[in-house]
Amino acid sequence: MSGAPVVEVADLSKRYGDRTALDGVSFSIERGETFALLGPNGAGKSTTIEILEGYRRRSGGSALVLGEDPGTAGLAWKARIGVVLQSSTEAEAATVRELLTHVAAFFPDPRPVDETLEAVGLTDDARTRIRALSGGRRRRLDVALGIVGRPELLFLDEPTTGFDPEARRRFWQLIEQLKAEGTTILLTTHYLDEAAALADRAAVVAAGRLLAIGPVDAIGSPAARVPIVRWRDADGRHEERTEEPATLVARLVAAAGGEPEDVEIRRPSLEDVYLGLIGDEGVA
Amino acid sequence: MSAGAFTPGRRLRLGAARVRWEVRQYFRERDTVFFTFLFPTVIFLVFAAAFSASDPVGARPDGTGGITVAAYYLPGLVAAGVVLSGVQNLGIAIAQERSDGTLKRLGGSPLPVVSYFIGKAGSVLVTAVVQLLLLLAVAHLLFDVALPDDATHWLRFAWVFLLSILMATVLGIGISGIPRTGRSASAVIVPILLVLQFVSGVYFTFTDLPTWLQDVASVFPVKWVAQGMRSAFLPEHFAAAERGGSWDLGTTAVVLVAWTVVGLVAARLTFRWVRRDG
């Protein structure tokens, strides 16, 4: 059991009437891994994650989550997963601590409420009514509700939307802590730097199909990862891709007889690779 | 601590936790407290005050046994309270929970659906009992309405009340699937209940309605809840004014049980944590 993947998806498809939302998506997630699902709006990220959470039924293919079919799995299975949904407006009259304490009681072995509040940085808001929370703090509560059951597998659907930069950094630390505890994480996000910072592997989906999958520092074609050198001279701006950027820069210095203007060496970030992939796909 | 913890005892324990949660949330929402919780008492006050100078109603031919208009309206408003707390309030609340994400969250958690239902039924019972006590206190203390003074009538009241609460809860769960959104829930559910109250003898004397309308209303449960409450709260000689000349408690029991079964089947077939997309 411990060697089997936590999530195993093969040829997954989903149709709504005659519209195909997912078309033959396959991937697996190993225990302890953090896996990011990337793609533009409407690409099929949320459909995929909701099928794996048990909220939607698949039209075809197979899906195993913690060894069970999420479409039929029971309460004992639900106790092993944690779900952070896109934001809701529930339980507005309750306080943060009340809702968290109430939900914790559903789980057989919950994380202590105080510890959970501390982890998401809501200790000072424990007695605040939920309707009085700011958007970012409301989101932290969503995360707290997702982790209070001490899940083996945590689903994070766009967890940091609406966070300020400091709150995002703090959230990243929390994810690192959960990873250190051995939690397997499936993450969707619009922030490529977030995926690069947190994920071990990533998959890019667009128009319901899987375009690329791999470690975050190796995803995409080798050509997409070739460093880019940019500079400016009397003829204007230049850009060249080369495996030997330092050599190119040395040549530029020699040719110019001094420092070239605005010289820059870039190793393509996950975002560059991602935009290349999405661009190749064409704006359908 | 693991799978062994998913026992029937756990369902009950979480059901009790849900009852406490639901009741506390209910009384924190001031608008629901005012519009559904206080509604029967407010309407009673309006009727009782408006007709406070009227002659007694329902006197025997010899002129004895008449009661005040306030006393005459009390059973109808007790019935209205049950129907409002159960079907209307619950139906709207669940529809709103479906659209605000509450049900989605609960559906993704290991909360048993039975515990959720226990929470709803328990909170309806608690709110209906408190609502009833307030209404009876106002009627008795402010308008001197006589309450039943023997065990037979209180027993009658108890079974009609409890059976009505159970029925109203399952019908509320069943009806919650009709509105497409939480926003439209009040607009869809309130008129249904309002019409039923008007044709079921809650606000008007049932036998004053045209016969065909009495026939239609007799298919639905509100008429029988109201009649059952009259049998508990009104003097026995008022039975002669009922349609069949008696309280007809046997039929009341059968209709309430039948609608409970209908509600259970509807709740079982239609209740989903999230709207399925096929």
Side-chain angles (χ1 to χ4, degrees):
Chain A
M1 183 67 204
S2 65
V6 171
V7 174
E8 208 168 2
V9 170
D11 204 22
L12 191 66
S13 70
K14 176 69 184 176
R15 283 179 298 276
Y16 299 102
D18 55 2
R19 190 175 75 83
T20 300
L22 275 185
D23 186 9
V25 169
S26 302
F27 61 88
S28 62
I29 305 174
E30 302 300 323
R31 185 163 292 274
E33 197 175 28
T34 296
F35 187 86
L37 209 49
L38 310 173
N41 285 330
K45 301 189 301 289
S46 288
T47 299
T48 305
I49 207 167
E50 292 207 337
I51 289 172
L52 299 179
E53 288 162 346
Y55 287 125
R56 290 176 194 271
R57 302 218 178 272
R58 59 185 186 272
S59 308
S62 67
L64 278 179
V65 174
L66 294 166
E68 293 189 54
D69 178 345
T72 56
L75 297 177
W77 177 84
K78 288 183 184 175
R80 298 168 65 197
I81 65 166
V83 175
V84 176
L85 299 164
Q86 293 190 18
S87 216
S88 66
T89 55
E90 62 179 301
E92 299 229 290
T95 68
V96 168
R97 179 189 294 281
E98 283 170 352
L99 180 62
L100 201 52
T101 306
H102 181 61
V103 171
F106 302 165
F107 292 86
D109 180 26
R111 192 184 300 270
V113 168
D114 286 325
E115 185 188 316
T116 311
L117 287 170
E118 180 67 35
V120 298
L122 280 179
T123 304
D124 293 341
D125 283 305
R127 298 169 65 83
T128 305
R129 292 284 173 98
I130 290 170
R131 70 159 55 88
L133 291 177
S134 67
R137 287 180 179 264
R138 182 73 189 75
R139 201 75 192 111
R140 292 194 210 180
L141 175 60
D142 288 330
V143 174
L145 291 166
I147 65 171
V148 74
R150 235 191 264 280
E152 290 171 51
L153 169 63
L154 178 62
F155 294 99
L156 293 168
D157 202 356
E158 297 182 8
T160 58
T161 303
F163 279 27
D164 59 37
E166 190 201 338
R168 285 181 70 208
R169 293 288 164 170
R170 182 159 183 163
F171 174 78
W172 293 3
Q173 285 172 10
L174 168 62
I175 298 304
E176 291 298 339
Q177 184 193 326
L178 293 171
K179 288 171 73 168
E181 291 170 11
T183 312
T184 308
I185 297 169
L186 172 53
L187 167 80
T188 74
T189 180
H190 281 302
Y191 302 112
L192 280 297
D193 59 334
E194 184 161 285
L198 297 178
D200 302 307
R201 284 193 307 140
V204 176
V205 289
R209 284 186 298 128
L210 193 86
L211 299 183
I213 182 167
V216 284
D217 53 4
I219 195 172
S221 63
R225 297 210 158 256
V226 174
I228 303 165
V229 179
R230 292 194 184 115
W231 72 96
R232 197 161 62 182
D233 61 18
D235 300 335
R237 294 189 63 85
H238 299 274
E239 181 176 306
E240 197 173 317
R241 302 194 84 147
T242 172
E243 295 287 4
E244 296 170 330
T247 309
L248 174 59
V249 170
R251 238 182 328 112
L252 292 172
V253 173
E259 184 73 14
E261 271 188 87
D262 293 344
V263 71
E264 182 187 4
I265 300 176
R266 268 175 68 84
R267 293 197 175 266
S269 65
L270 180 59
E271 184 152 354
D272 296 319
V273 175
Y274 168 83
L275 290 173
L277 282 165
I278 300 298
D280 290 349
E281 185 61 14
V283 183
Chain B
M1 288 298 270
S2 61
F6 292 89
T7 57
R10 181 175 180 278
R11 286 167 209 276
L12 288 177
R13 188 169 49 76
L14 286 179
R18 287 297 299 172
V19 174
R20 286 193 298 276
W21 173 263
E22 300 266 13
V23 169
R24 190 158 51 173
Q25 299 306 311
Y26 177 89
F27 283 105
R28 279 202 191 153
E29 295 290 352
R30 280 190 216 116
D31 49 350
T32 59
V33 169
F34 187 78
F35 284 107
T36 58
F37 182 75
L38 295 180
F39 184 80
T41 304
V42 170
I43 297 295
F44 175 81
L45 282 169
V46 171
F47 278 134
F51 298 107
S52 58
S54 301
D55 293 332
V57 293
R60 295 192 190 87
D62 64 5
T64 63
I67 57 172
T68 61
V69 174
Y72 186 68
Y73 271 116
L74 180 63
L77 289 165
V78 172
V82 171
V83 171
L84 290 175
S85 288
V87 187
Q88 178 170 312
N89 196 33
L90 190 56
I92 293 170
I94 296 176
Q96 282 170 348
E97 285 183 343
R98 186 169 285 118
S99 55
D100 73 16
T102 303
L103 293 193
K104 193 169 185 180
R105 158 114 49 229
L106 296 178
S109 82
L111 177 73
V113 70
V114 173
S115 306
Y116 174 77
F117 285 175
I118 292 172
K120 290 297 182 195
S123 72
V124 170
L125 181 63
V126 171
T127 53
V129 165
V130 180
Q131 188 178 48
L132 172 81
L133 291 177
L134 180 69
L135 179 58
L136 294 186
V138 166
H140 187 64
L141 300 176
L142 296 186
F143 295 91
D144 212 17
V145 174
L147 298 180
D149 58 1
D150 61 7
T152 311
H153 285 85
W154 279 117
L155 208 62
R156 231 181 239 176
F157 163 76
W159 75 254
V160 173
F161 183 76
L162 291 175
L163 187 53
S164 300
I165 292 284
L166 181 64
M167 177 196 72
T169 301
V170 294
L171 287 177
I173 295 169
I175 209 170
S176 72
I178 296 176
R180 302 290 304 172
T181 65
R183 261 175 210 286
S184 66
S186 300
V188 173
I189 293 174
V190 171
I192 299 174
L193 273 300
L194 199 59
V195 169
L196 278 180
Q197 288 174 71
F198 270 102
V199 301
S200 298
V202 169
Y203 302 122
F204 306 124
T205 303
F206 186 69
T207 48
D208 288 351
L209 296 173
T211 314
W212 67 267
L213 196 50
Q214 293 185 32
D215 290 337
V216 172
S218 298
V219 175
F220 297 98
V222 182
K223 182 255 181 190
W224 300 96
V225 179
Q227 188 169 319
M229 290 304 171
R230 287 196 294 275
S231 80
F233 286 99
L234 297 186
E236 277 303 314
H237 71 270
F238 274 72
E242 295 292 334
R243 199 177 180 189
S246 78
W247 297 125
D248 208 358
L249 290 167
T251 311
T252 302
V254 169
V255 172
L256 296 185
V257 168
W259 275 99
T260 304
V261 172
V262 168
L264 274 175
V265 171
R268 182 81 183 75
L269 291 181
T270 64
F271 182 82
R272 297 280 181 277
W273 291 120
V274 289
R275 276 196 185 280
R276 283 283 182 205
D277 47 32

